[in-house]
């Protein structure tokens, strides 16, 4: 009898643990990545009960009215400010980004820029990493949880996959430069809004102008649609060499390859074969550029 009770308790503890793990995994999947209190709060129980209905008092008998004294008409209150649009935010960001004469200045200006709401929810600014003198720049979408925590791009699981892919074409973070369209993490890794993209686009464009790479590699559909202004899906664009047209003092178009984001490849490992072909094409283009400079 005693042994049976002990076994029942063990089974109960195991079931409780599995339920807790399943609940935690569910919260992570929907984007919850931070606890703001030690104990859960039942928001439904915290709602106060509705106030009791009170009967209206009987109307008092009407008295003869007397003319009310004249008063000055109240001035209408000022209209609330119009909500920010992608155009207005983009103009402010362009004016700020165009002042940067170096990557260090661009980082400082971006850190002081308050035109993107993502700055208020992110932990760190994730600017860029690698060799700014390298001929190739890789651009992703936005930082993830690990990148936001450390302030470095592509340092999580998808970053480890990117490093492995780079190594297979004889590249690393000393021979390439890596950054993102957005320097701040969207909450829960959600898709950025058009206003958020418009606020960050002038900074990534200035980022490219200051580095002047010979080749661009766009990782994922958001980077492709933002910089190339294309509306097709990434499956139709990836693997094709297109051109990115920078501004500034270097108007020459930059050969640009779009391929799958490493985070997508982790979810769809069968697509690694296509991404590998894209990276081989990038290696061939870099070799051609090197031969041209030597000749």
């Amino acid at each position: 009898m005693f042994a049976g009770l002990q076994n029942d308790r063990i089974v109960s503890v195991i079931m409780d643990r599995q339920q807790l793990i399943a609940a935690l995994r569910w919260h992570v999947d929907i984007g919850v990545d931070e606890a703001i209190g030690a104990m859960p709060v039942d928001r439904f129980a915290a709602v106060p009960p509705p106030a009791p209905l009170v009967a209206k008092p009987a109307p008092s008998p009407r008295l003869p009215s007397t003319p009310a004294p004249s008063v000055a008409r109240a001035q209408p209150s000022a209209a609330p400010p119009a909500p920010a649009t992608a155009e207005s935010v983009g103009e402010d960001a362009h004016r700020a980004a165009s002042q940067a004469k170096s990557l260090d200045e661009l980082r400082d200006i971006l850190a002081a820029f308050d035109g993107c709401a993502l700055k208020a929810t992110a932990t760190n600014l994730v600017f860029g990493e690698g060799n700014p003198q390298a001929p190739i720049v890789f651009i992703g979408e936005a930082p993830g949880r690990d990148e936001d925590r450390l302030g470095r791009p592509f340092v999580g699981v998808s970053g480890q996959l990117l490093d492995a892919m780079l190594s297979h074409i004889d590249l690393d973070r000393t021979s390439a430069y890596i950054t993102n369209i957005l320097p701040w993490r969207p909450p829960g890794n959600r898709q950025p809004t058009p206003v958020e993209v418009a606020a960050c686009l002038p900074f990534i464009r200035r980022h490219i102008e200051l580095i002047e790479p010979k080749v661009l590699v766009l990782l994922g559909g958001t980077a492709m649609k933002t910089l190339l202004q294309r509306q097709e899906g990434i499956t139709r664009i990836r693997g094709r060499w297109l051109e990115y047209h920078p501004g500034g003092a270097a108007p020459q178009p930059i050969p640009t390859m779009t391929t799958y984001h490493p985070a997508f490849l982790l979810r769809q490992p069968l697509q690694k074969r296509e991404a590998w072909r894209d990276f081989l094409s990038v290696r061939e283009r870099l070799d051609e550029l090197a031969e041209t400079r030597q000749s």
Side-chain angles (χ1 to χ4, degrees), residues 24-36:
L24 179 61
R25 183 177 295 112
W26 178 79
H27 280 82
V28 172
D29 290 341
I30 66 172
V32 176
D33 57 7
E34 183 177 0
I36 60 175

Side-chain angles (χ1 to χ4, degrees), residues 22-213:
L24 179 61
R25 183 177 295 112
W26 178 79
H27 280 82
V28 172
D29 290 341
I30 66 172
V32 176
D33 57 7
E34 183 177 0
I36 60 175
M39 297 296 294
V41 178
D42 189 347
R43 300 295 180 184
F44 294 98
V47 175
L53 297 177
V54 179
K56 293 183 179 180
S60 59
R62 299 187 62 181
L63 298 176
S65 60
T66 56
S70 61
V71 295
R73 179 174 297 177
Q75 295 296 327
S77 58
T85 63
E87 291 76 10
S88 62
V89 170
E91 292 174 359
D92 294 340
H94 176 73
R95 284 192 293 268
S98 61
Q99 298 176 7
K101 305 303 180 184
S102 66
L103 290 181
D104 289 337
E105 289 185 8
L106 184 64
R107 181 196 293 270
D108 294 339
I109 293 173
L110 188 56
F113 182 69
D114 294 326
C116 182
L118 293 177
K119 179 181 178 181
T121 59
T123 302
N124 283 304
L125 169 71
V126 182
F127 186 70
E129 184 171 284
N131 182 3
Q133 305 300 324
I136 185 169
V137 171
F138 292 81
I139 302 177
E141 175 183 324
R145 179 177 55 185
D146 294 326
E147 290 78 11
D148 180 48
R149 179 171 55 87
L150 299 176
R152 297 174 53 205
F154 285 94
V155 294
V157 179
S158 61
Q160 296 172 13
L161 177 57
L162 177 61
D163 287 339
M165 297 169 70
L166 292 177
S167 67
H168 287 300
I169 58 171
D170 298 326
L171 292 176
D172 56 25
R173 301 197 182 211
T174 65
S175 54
Y177 190 87
I178 303 171
T179 186
N180 285 296
I181 296 291
L182 275 68
W184 296 290
R185 180 199 180 197
N189 292 345
R190 64 163 171 77
Q191 196 76 7
T193 67
V195 173
E196 292 165 351
V197 172
C200 299
L201 177 58
F203 292 99
I204 188 61
R205 290 182 66 90
R206 186 59 180 158
H207 214 139
I208 297 171
E209 292 171 9
L210 291 172
I211 296 177
E212 297 184 357

